[in-house]
Amino acid sequence: MSFLTSTALRRTFSTTSRVLNATTTASTTAAVAANVNSLGVVGAGQMGLGIALVAAKVAQIPVTLVDTSQSSLDRSTAFMDKLLAKDVAKQKLSTSAADAIRARITTSTTLDAISSADFIIEAVPEIPALKADIFSRLATISAPHAVLATNTSSISITRIAAAALGAQSRVVSTHFMNPVPVMRGVEIIRGLQTSAGTLATTLQFMTKLGKVPSESADTPGFLANRILMPYINEAVVCLETGVGGREDIDAIMKNGTGVPMGPLQLADFIGLDTCLAIMKVLYEDTGDSKYRPSVLLGRYVDAGWLGKKTGRGFYEYDQ
């Protein structure tokens, strides 16, 4: 290839790139964020309740918390009452403010209860088939303008959106950090189908919730868990192979790197089943052996020792 031909090609590529970048920027800028005045949350576990509480407290909008299990809803509302009472006792909230937060959150065992919500967040376990079923149903019953968000920590957003036939462009990921009321960060991931308007509305709503959004590409583990989970998994390998005991592993990371919680204790708080599920997705989707889950982590999950939520993980906890 001659110098002149090479130069011409570079100029053509540069011009094309500028045009494409300008088009992408223009379409993103032109997207108008819609106002979110109501929220539906699917899944009344720790994450779902945390999201509902933040929306009711910070954004001060009505929230409908949905779960197929009435007992799960009862446990979550009882835990919410406990948290609010604690904040009142510590004078972080007035009694009237706590009552107002409670009044903004209603519960239901049917998805139809959130059919008119402006924004819906799914926060169920990391089971692809379960999420696909939920989004398939949400595509049918949700309002045409509603954003359909998933709190998945590792599953492809493009894959989840494909299940929402007719509403693929309204699907996005809002991956909140645990515990939701405390951690300000939230990952925003768009699938191939996600529209610019959906993204704009999501970013604006996360800010309304008092969160600091970070955008990630739709790749296994996204940003947070692509970094965090291998760190936790390696700590479990160190325990498994006798490199150090649980207290020594956590102590060196706390006292040596300044993190507030060691990796094994952090895993207990996240849930060992969740950690294992994410590591499996990373390993299976990338095929990279560096993401192979620790054998010991799998054994703990098999034993039902899932961490703080079950009273035992790498440490023991009062129930």
Side-chain angles (χ1 to χ4, degrees):
M1 182 183 294
S2 69
F3 173 75
L4 289 176
T5 303
S6 176
T7 301
L9 285 173
R10 284 200 301 270
R11 286 174 177 169
T12 301
F13 177 76
S14 177
T15 301
T16 303
S17 295
R18 285 197 299 271
V19 171
L20 287 173
N21 288 337
T23 302
T24 302
T25 303
S27 93
T28 303
T29 304
V32 177
N35 290 325
V36 174
N37 297 310
S38 59
L39 174 67
V41 179
V42 183
Q46 187 176 16
M47 296 301 291
L49 176 63
I51 294 167
L53 268 174
V54 168
K57 181 180 180 181
V58 180
Q60 298 185 357
I61 60 174
V63 182
T64 302
L65 182 61
V66 175
D67 199 291
T68 55
S69 169
Q70 185 59 51
S71 61
S72 293
L73 290 168
D74 293 341
R75 283 195 300 271
S76 289
T77 52
F79 187 57
M80 174 182 68
D81 289 340
K82 183 178 179 181
L83 291 176
L84 291 174
K86 186 180 293 185
D87 283 347
V88 170
K90 291 181 178 180
Q91 297 185 332
K92 292 182 178 180
L93 277 178
S94 65
T95 301
S96 60
D99 289 341
I101 292 170
R102 283 192 195 91
R104 293 186 191 110
I105 299 177
T106 56
T107 63
S108 177
T109 56
T110 63
L111 278 181
D112 287 339
I114 56 176
S115 61
S116 62
D118 294 328
F119 204 102
I120 298 172
I121 301 175
E122 164 271 309
V124 303
E126 293 288 88
I127 303 172
L130 175 60
K131 291 181 185 288
D133 178 63
I134 289 171
F135 276 84
S136 174
R137 294 165 64 192
L138 288 176
T140 302
I141 63 114
S142 63
H145 68 278
V147 171
L148 308 179
T150 173
N151 186 54
T152 184
S153 54
S154 57
I155 302 171
S156 166
I157 312 310
T158 297
R159 179 181 176 185
I160 292 173
L165 296 178
Q168 295 96 325
S169 66
R170 296 191 277 127
V171 178
V172 71
S173 175
T174 52
H175 177 213
F176 291 84
M177 304 295 120
N178 189 31
V180 181
V182 177
M183 306 302 289
R184 296 186 65 204
V186 59
E187 278 186 310
I188 307 301
I189 305 99
R190 64 190 299 181
L192 291 178
Q193 311 94 319
T194 308
S195 71
T198 294
L199 179 64
T201 298
T202 301
L203 291 171
Q204 178 175 279
F205 183 47
M206 292 304 105
T207 302
K208 187 175 180 178
L209 293 178
K211 301 301 180 184
V212 179
S214 295
E215 293 185 58
S216 169
D218 185 15
T219 58
F222 315 131
L223 279 174
N225 284 324
R226 189 73 170 258
I227 298 167
L228 177 63
M229 286 302 154
Y231 158 70
I232 288 176
N233 192 61
E234 191 61 29
V236 182
V237 171
C238 287
L239 180 66
E240 178 184 334
T241 57
V243 177
R246 63 182 187 181
E247 288 85 2
D248 292 310
I249 291 169
D250 280 355
I252 191 59
M253 296 312 296
K254 287 192 292 184
N255 300 317
T257 66
V259 294
M261 187 180 292
L264 298 179
Q265 186 182 18
L266 178 57
D268 277 354
F269 276 70
I270 293 171
L272 303 193
D273 53 337
T274 300
C275 294
L276 179 61
I278 296 169
M279 286 306 300
K280 283 182 175 179
V281 168
L282 286 171
Y283 182 46
E284 292 167 5
D285 285 7
T286 65
D288 194 328
S289 62
K290 72 180 180 181
Y291 297 121
R292 185 171 56 240
S294 159
V295 173
L296 183 62
L297 179 60
R299 293 290 180 269
Y300 270 57
V301 172
D302 288 343
W305 299 348
L306 308 183
K308 192 173 186 298
K309 61 187 175 184
T310 60
R312 180 170 183 175
F314 294 113
Y315 295 90
E316 296 74 39
Y317 303 89
D318 294 331
Q319 287 291 81

